[in-house]
Amino acid sequence: MTGASGALGSAIVAAVREQGGTPFATDLKPDGSIDAAHDVTSEASWSEVCAEIDRRHGRLDGLVNNAGIIHVGNVETTDLAAFRNVMAVNVDGLFLGCKLTWPLLRRSAAASIVNVSSTGGLVGSADHVAYTASKGAVRILSKSVALHGARFDPVIRCNSLHPSLMAGNMADTIVAGIRNPALTAESVAAARNPMRRLALTSEVAGAAVFLLSSLSGFVTGSELVSDGGLTAI
């Protein structure tokens, strides 16, 4: 689990543990709940994490590529450095994760990769051009990884997960970009989401655990949307 210190990451770690799994949690800035410091944009850092997983467990049954960042800006205001930074974390980091954990995943009898995308990977946003571009890339990359993984016996499944706005730092950044001090993440969700609220991290974590588990054993190359009906509008 990358990005495990964040709101969603910590919720998925807790959900995996609750279901009897043994999570290995990483983040750029580790705290007491993190197993390893991890820069997902660094191939060397990924290699170190994989070596530690191998030492502790000998295999990897599930990979959750959750680490991600957001940038507020449209195609005119976003500079190339900011665009590349978002792509490095959200796409390069995910690619490296899928690639470098592959030997560990092959040792599992039922390996599953969950790549955390967003509703922004399904629809555009004028003011989040880098973020939506990166999350759209996550969606298609996941399908390509799934098709490759289906060639193996046992297969390595791969799916993308697309949540809508949840409480946390990313939601606060999005709302701050609207530049209306009267708005909160909760009020924005109440106005725009068909279910009139934010997604709960526990709900999205449950969706991730489903994709990791044998309950989704014939699900690969798919998008699981957890958005309260937002993309149905």
Side-chain angles (χ1 to χ4, degrees):
M1 161 65 66
T2 66
S5 291
L8 178 57
S10 58
I12 298 176
V13 167
V16 168
R17 186 174 286 116
E18 183 179 335
Q19 294 300 316
T22 304
F24 186 95
T26 75
D27 208 295
L28 185 62
K29 297 179 180 179
D31 56 30
S33 65
I34 299 302
D35 293 288
H38 187 193
D39 176 2
V40 297
T41 68
S42 165
E43 189 168 0
S45 185
W46 268 109
S47 294
E48 291 171 3
V49 165
C50 289
E52 182 61 16
I53 294 171
D54 189 14
R55 186 187 71 80
R56 292 194 196 184
H57 306 294
R59 72 176 196 276
L60 185 63
D61 296 318
L63 168 66
V64 182
N65 281 307
N66 172 66
I69 59 174
I70 194 166
H71 177 267
V72 178
N74 58 48
V75 70
E76 291 187 282
T77 60
T78 301
D79 60 36
L80 184 58
F83 187 87
R84 285 177 171 168
N85 187 44
V86 171
M87 297 298 284
V89 176
N90 295 2
V91 183
D92 295 3
L94 186 145
F95 164 76
L96 287 171
C98 292
K99 179 179 178 64
L100 295 180
T101 63
W102 203 263
L104 290 170
L105 292 164
R106 287 201 63 187
R107 298 177 194 170
S108 173
S112 175
I113 300 171
V114 178
N115 291 326
V116 179
S117 181
S118 164
T119 53
L122 302 172
V123 297
S125 171
D127 295 318
H128 306 96
V129 64
Y131 179 75
T132 54
S134 72
K135 292 303 186 178
V138 168
R139 173 177 173 265
I140 296 300
L141 189 152
S142 299
K143 291 180 181 295
S144 295
V145 172
L147 292 174
H148 179 62
R151 296 169 171 169
F152 291 80
D153 184 13
V155 302
I156 298 175
R157 297 185 299 111
C158 182
N159 295 283
S160 55
L161 177 59
H162 299 258
S164 58
L165 201 62
M166 296 169 283
N169 292 335
M170 194 169 288
D172 294 340
T173 299
I174 292 172
V175 173
I178 301 174
R179 297 179 182 176
N180 182 341
L183 293 179
T184 65
E186 291 77 8
S187 65
V188 169
R192 299 181 181 179
N193 191 286
M195 290 182 65
R196 301 175 300 285
R197 63 173 176 85
L198 293 168
L200 302 179
T201 54
S202 60
E203 293 170 327
V204 180
V209 170
F210 167 73
L211 290 175
L212 289 169
S213 77
S214 60
L215 291 173
S216 60
F218 204 56
V219 179
T220 195
S222 297
E223 307 94 359
L224 179 53
V225 183
S226 180
D227 71 347
L230 184 64
T231 55
I233 299 173

